């Protein structure tokens, strides 16, 4: 079992090494992570500049580690295509301090790393804890190894992304492990305007709550109720095909373009 571990918080983040260490009992682990905090970059790749890779001192004996001057997606692409070309059986991205829930997963570098594994047909796990301070990584690391085992016992018929969020509470306070669906988007951005010298600058913060309408069954609801949330993300992610009568929309556009009735 070969396991690639990455994150979006950078090579020195404690969550990265906690989960890498836990996964060692389960397989051969390789760590490839950004050389700095890349939280919030989503699935972004670096295409317009070169990427540098450093061999870094591993915190776990026998586990090779590299840092990349790039995004989590860059790490996964370089690791699989170039640095460690032998196939990986599993990708784990995390452990992120701070939840990655609902439609906000599209902004997450942690989940972005997992997407890049999924695109390469590797079953991928993104794992987060719901607090940014006094983070209890141990439980999340255990959940990840148990999920990894379960994935391989289950024999997936197609690669999937599993988005895991663990409440930052004592294990004794955890209600249960729950299979969930993604909730709605919970945050938009605030823009802060500043001035240095003569020029105006802007700073985008992803911190504006936009209402509270997470239903039971969603990931947001689950962690709020002290449940460990596991969201399998469908490979047809966000496909709106067949929903809400969109056929009439395309028919209407066809008509207006005068392409109606053409058969090729
Ligand atoms: Mn992060």
């Amino acid at each position: 079992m070969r396991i690639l571990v990455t994150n979006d918080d950078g090579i020195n983040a404690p969550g990265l090494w906690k989960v890498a260490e836990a996964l060692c009992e389960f397989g051969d682990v390789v760590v490839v992570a950004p050389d700095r905090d890349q939280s919030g970059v989503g699935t972004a790749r670096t295409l317009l500049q070169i990427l540098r890779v450093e061999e870094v001192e591993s915190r776990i004996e026998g586990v090779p580690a590299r840092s990349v001057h790039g995004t989590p997606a860059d790490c996964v692409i370089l690791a699989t295509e170039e640095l460690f070309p032998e196939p990986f059986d599993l990708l784990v991205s995390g452990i992120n301090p701070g939840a990655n829930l609902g439609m906000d997963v599209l902004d997450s570098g942690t989940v972005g790393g997992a997407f890049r594994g999924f695109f390469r047909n590797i079953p991928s796990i993104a794992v987060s804890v719901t607090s940014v301070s006094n983070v209890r990584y141990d439980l999340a690391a255990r959940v990840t190894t148990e999920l990894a085992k379960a994935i391989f016992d289950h024999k997936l018929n197609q690669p999937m992304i599993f988005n895991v969020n663990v409440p930052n509470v004592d294990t004794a306070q955890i209600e249960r492990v729950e299979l969930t669906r993604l909730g709605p988007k919970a945050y938009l951005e605030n823009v802060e305007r500043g001035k240095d010298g003569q020029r105006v600058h802007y700073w985008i913060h992803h911190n504006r709550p936009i209402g509270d309408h997470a239903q039971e069954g969603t990931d947001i609801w689950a962690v709020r109720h002290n449940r460990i949330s596991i969201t399998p993300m469908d490979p047809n992610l966000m496909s709106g095909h067949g929903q809400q009568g969109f056929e009439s929309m395309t028919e209407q556009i066809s008509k207006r373009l005068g392409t109606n009735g053409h058969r090729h």
Side-chain angles (χ1 to χ4, degrees), residues 6-8 34 38 41-46 51 68 70-80 93 109-110 112-117 120:
T6 191
N7 75 351
D8 75 352
Q38 291 282 348
V41 300
T43 59
R45 300 158 301 177
T46 303
L51 289 168
V68 175
T71 67
D74 294 333
C75 292
V76 175
I77 294 165
L78 288 186
T80 54
S93 184
T110 307
F115 266 105
R116 295 291 160 189
R120 284 171 167 67

Side-chain angles (χ1 to χ4, degrees), residues 8-9 37-40 96-97 100 109-110:
D8 75 352
D9 304 304
D37 190 356
Q38 291 282 348
S39 294
N96 189 68
N100 280 304
T110 307

Side-chain angles (χ1 to χ4, degrees), residues 11-223:
I11 191 80
N12 292 315
L16 175 79
W17 293 101
K18 280 276 186 197
V19 81
E21 194 175 14
L23 287 163
C24 281
E25 67 157 280
F26 188 55
D28 296 325
V29 173
V30 169
V31 171
V32 182
D35 65 357
R36 66 198 64 193
D37 190 356
Q38 291 282 348
S39 294
V41 300
T43 59
R45 300 158 301 177
T46 303
L47 299 178
L48 299 178
Q49 62 186 56
I50 59 161
L51 289 168
R52 303 257 186 217
V53 178
E54 300 286 340
E55 191 168 341
V56 294
E57 201 181 325
S58 180
R59 299 194 194 170
I60 308 164
E61 210 186 307
V63 170
R66 304 281 187 279
S67 74
V68 175
H69 186 79
T71 67
D74 294 333
C75 292
V76 175
I77 294 165
L78 288 186
T80 54
E81 301 287 334
E82 188 67 27
L83 304 174
F84 300 97
E86 239 184 279
F88 287 99
D89 304 293
L90 178 71
L91 178 138
V92 171
S93 184
I95 301 166
N96 189 68
N100 280 304
L101 296 163
M103 288 304 286
D104 290 296
V105 296
L106 292 178
D107 302 314
S108 163
T110 307
V111 177
F115 266 105
R116 295 291 160 189
F118 166 70
F119 290 149
R120 284 171 167 67
N121 291 324
I122 306 168
S124 296
I125 300 173
V127 54
S128 310
V129 179
T130 61
S131 178
V132 293
S133 56
N134 301 317
V135 183
R136 297 159 193 250
Y137 290 109
D138 289 341
L139 176 59
R142 261 188 66 202
V143 172
T144 308
T145 53
E146 291 303 330
L147 176 58
K149 284 175 200 160
I151 286 172
F152 288 98
D153 290 347
H154 192 77
K155 297 199 183 14
L156 303 179
N157 52 14
Q158 56 195 341
M160 294 280 285
I161 301 176
F162 294 89
N163 187 40
V164 179
N165 282 274
V166 180
N168 196 40
V169 297
D170 261 346
T171 310
Q173 285 171 265
I174 295 286
E175 289 285 334
R176 51 178 288 199
V177 179
E178 189 150 303
L179 197 67
T180 57
R181 61 179 192 275
L182 288 182
K185 192 159 178 49
Y187 292 96
L188 275 182
E189 297 77 18
N190 278 309
V191 176
E192 184 187 329
R193 204 171 110 152
K195 206 167 183 187
D196 44 67
Q198 308 227 320
R199 298 183 63 191
V200 171
H201 63 244
Y202 301 93
W203 198 332
I204 296 175
H205 304 283
H206 185 223
N207 62 0
R208 185 158 121 218
I210 48 168
D212 195 344
H213 40 267
Q215 294 168 338
E216 192 167 344
T218 62
D219 51 356
I220 299 173
W221 189 93
V223 296

